[in-house]
């Protein structure tokens, strides 16, 4: 049996049904991946300079991180927040979807986590910019955590939106 | 726990949609009665999800029918043709 919480109520709110279409979910995944890739590129470009951490990089980083909030909210609404809700608020099908996506991205997530450590160590060894190395490591580790969300949002079948209350006799 | 069928041979067929229509039960009413999300009933009806034994038994109990009358590994014939066959 499932339990209704305020967080669950938000994700189940029918005002956000537009966010649950396949097209919207795909666009949210692409936007998050593009934003993350842009931040990785910006970090690498900044690391290639002598200055390293500059005000302009700080602005780019801050804007990117702030942009993640609405983007991830949109993505989460699209998948009814299956990864952020307590297990008790999910039925067996929803738990299955969550576990399936976790399992499918297990190896890529492990590889990204390893890349986060290796990339950060390599960057600090080559450029000496410790803060930027931490930024790169954080971004790749963050991407590893986002992979199950992206997998589910990309693969989830469209929901049935037909009205079923007026059933034939 | 149930799972998504990997192919047609793996699919569990059901009569949920027909029984809901016959008894004028909405997807939400059935979902609330058996403790799942209404969308899960939709996935079951479309054959995109195979239920756990517990869920299948709960749904069968809701309709007051034996589980084999609601779920089958083979495509289920229409209720009308099955009644005709039994009467012959």
């Amino acid at each position: 049996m499932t339990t209704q919480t305020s967080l669950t109520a938000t994700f189940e709110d029918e005002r956000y049904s537009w966010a649950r279409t396949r097209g919207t979910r795909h666009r949210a995944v692409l936007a998050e991946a593009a934003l993350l890739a842009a931040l990785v590129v910006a970090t690498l470009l900044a690391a290639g300079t002598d200055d390293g951490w500059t005000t302009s990089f700080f602005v780019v980083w801050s804007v990117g991180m702030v942009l993640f909030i609405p983007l991830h909210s949109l993505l989460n609404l699209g998948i009814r927040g299956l990864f952020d809700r307590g297990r008790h608020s999910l039925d067996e099908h929803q738990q299955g979807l969550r576990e399936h996506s976790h399992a499918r991205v297990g190896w890529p997530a492990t590889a990204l986590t390893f890349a986060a450590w290796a990339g950060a160590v390599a960057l600090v060894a080559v450029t000496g910019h410790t803060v930027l190395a931490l930024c790169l490591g954080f971004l790749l580790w963050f991407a590893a955590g986002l992979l199950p969300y992206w997998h589910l949002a990309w693969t989830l079948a469209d929901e049935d939106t037909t009205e079923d209350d007026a059933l034939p006799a | 726990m149930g799972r998504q069928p990997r192919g047609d041979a793996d699919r569990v067929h059901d009569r949920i949609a027909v029984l809901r229509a016959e008894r004028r039960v909405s997807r939400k009413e059935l979902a609330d009665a058996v403790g799942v999300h209404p969308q899960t009933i939709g996935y079951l009806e479309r054959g995109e999800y195979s239920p756990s034994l517990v869920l299948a038994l709960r749904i069968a109990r809701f309709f007051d029918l034996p589980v084999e009358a609601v779920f089958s590994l083979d495509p289920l014939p229409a209720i009308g043709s099955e009644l005709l066959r039994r009467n012959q």
Side-chain angles (χ1 to χ4, degrees):
Chain A
M1 294 290 171
T2 59
T3 308
Q4 187 85 348
T5 63
S6 57
L7 185 62
T8 306
T10 304
F11 289 129
E12 297 297 339
D13 196 324
E14 284 311 306
R15 285 178 299 174
Y16 306 122
S17 58
W18 56 270
R20 297 185 198 118
T21 61
R22 192 189 291 256
T24 308
R25 283 186 274 114
H26 284 188
R27 282 192 286 275
V29 170
L30 291 173
E32 271 198 1
L35 180 56
L36 210 63
L39 286 174
V40 168
V41 170
T43 305
L44 292 174
L45 288 175
T49 64
D50 290 337
D51 294 336
W53 181 274
T54 59
T55 307
S56 55
F57 177 77
F58 173 73
V59 170
V60 168
W61 176 268
S62 303
V63 169
M65 286 292 114
V66 170
L67 268 177
F68 249 105
I69 298 169
L71 269 181
H72 199 62
S73 301
L74 175 66
L75 186 83
N76 241 344
L77 286 171
I79 57 173
R80 293 185 184 268
L82 291 194
F83 291 102
D84 293 346
R85 286 159 54 174
R87 200 178 165 84
H88 57 274
S89 74
L90 303 173
D91 70 18
E92 62 171 55
H93 176 241
Q94 292 170 320
Q95 288 176 27
L97 289 172
R98 188 161 83 166
E99 285 162 19
H100 177 69
S101 286
H102 262 304
R104 289 304 296 267
V105 301
W107 279 110
T110 304
L112 265 178
T113 306
F114 177 75
W117 284 103
V121 170
L123 195 67
V124 80
V126 173
T127 66
H129 296 308
T130 310
V131 179
L132 290 173
L134 287 171
C135 289
L136 181 69
F138 170 77
L139 287 171
L140 295 178
W141 169 79
F142 194 47
L146 288 171
L147 282 182
Y149 291 81
W150 293 349
H151 179 269
L152 182 59
W154 197 268
T155 58
L156 192 60
D158 262 334
E159 294 184 349
D160 191 348
T161 53
T162 53
E163 184 57 62
D164 72 339
D165 288 326
L167 290 164
Chain B
M1 188 173 292
R3 63 194 173 95
Q4 288 172 289
R6 292 184 187 123
D8 266 358
D10 198 32
R11 189 179 159 189
V12 173
H13 300 267
D14 67 68
R15 283 198 176 107
I16 298 173
V18 175
L19 290 166
R20 279 200 312 108
E22 183 190 272
R23 304 191 188 194
R24 301 183 66 82
V25 175
S26 73
R27 202 174 285 143
K28 183 165 186 342
E29 286 168 337
L30 174 59
D32 289 345
V34 299
V36 296
H37 194 277
Q39 286 296 333
T40 298
I41 301 297
Y43 286 117
L44 283 171
E45 290 178 352
R46 296 197 301 274
E48 292 171 6
Y49 177 63
S50 302
S52 67
L53 179 60
V54 173
L55 179 57
L57 288 168
R58 278 192 193 137
I59 291 170
R61 186 169 63 183
F62 176 85
F63 289 116
D64 199 20
L65 286 169
V67 72
E68 64 271 21
V70 185
F71 297 95
S72 171
L73 291 173
D74 302 311
L76 286 156
I79 290 178
S81 62
E82 193 153 308
L83 282 173
L84 193 65
R85 184 178 57 81
R86 286 187 187 180
N87 288 336
Q88 284 172 346

